[in-house]
Every structure is written in C-alpha cells, then in structure tokens.
Amino acid sequence: GLDTYQASIAEVLRTFRMAAYRLHRWDKLERQAIAPSRWDERPLTPQAVRYAVEGVVHLLPLQRLINIELGDPSGTLVLRRSQRYVDYAGLP
C-alpha cells in the first residue's frame, strides 16, 4: 500500500551508511551535481567519472543492508516484489 518513491543514492547513503556518505564527501558531490545534458559529452570530465563511480560503488553493500532492514537477508522477497516496478521505471 505504499506509494512508489525514488530516492537519490546520497539520500540512501545518509539513511543506511552515514560513514560512507561522509567518507566519500557526498555532501560536496550533491552540491555539484552533473547536469543531465553533460552525460552525453565524451570524454567525461574527471568530476563526472567520480560522480558516476561514487554512485555505484555502494550499491551492493546498500542492497544487503536494506534487505536486512526489511527482514529479508537473502533479498529473495525484495527482488520478487521489485519486479513489478520494472515497468514503472521504464527499464527493459
């Protein structure tokens, strides 16, 4: 019964891994977000590469923490329930 909600990686890090948020200076990265039009430019700037890497490096540890928080350490139930949001996100 919850509404669909998208959180930024920084918001999720602040909630579940504050130490990682502080260590990687996400507060600074958030203030200097990359404009969507800049992602098409090649080569990417060093700032854009860092922003992209910082955005994915924490995903697996975050997944584990969130699954545990939701009472599903293996992630099986979370994955099954998440499948219905694939269409919502427009993912293939």
Side-chain angles (χ1 to χ4, degrees):
L2 297 176
D3 291 332
T4 302
Y5 175 75
Q6 292 180 335
S8 69
I9 186 71
E11 184 177 351
V12 176
L13 279 174
R14 280 193 306 269
T15 303
F16 292 97
R17 298 196 69 197
M18 183 55 93
Y21 177 87
R22 288 187 179 127
L23 177 67
H24 293 277
R25 298 300 313 245
W26 263 97
D27 55 338
K28 182 178 177 184
L29 286 174
E30 281 183 291
R31 287 192 302 270
Q32 301 172 346
I34 309 300
S37 61
R38 304 282 312 271
W39 291 108
D40 291 339
E41 295 176 11
R42 294 294 185 269
L44 292 173
T45 65
Q47 178 192 9
V49 171
R50 177 172 181 223
Y51 191 88
V53 168
E54 292 288 344
V56 298
V57 73
H58 304 286
L59 291 179
L60 288 176
L62 280 172
Q63 178 193 21
R64 289 183 202 106
L65 287 170
I66 292 169
N67 287 342
I68 290 167
E69 185 78 17
L70 293 172
D72 181 24
S74 69
T76 305
L77 297 173
V78 171
L79 181 61
R80 201 172 327 145
R81 288 192 67 194
S82 298
Q83 292 298 319
R84 67 180 167 184
Y85 294 110
V86 171
D87 290 337
Y88 163 79
L91 301 173

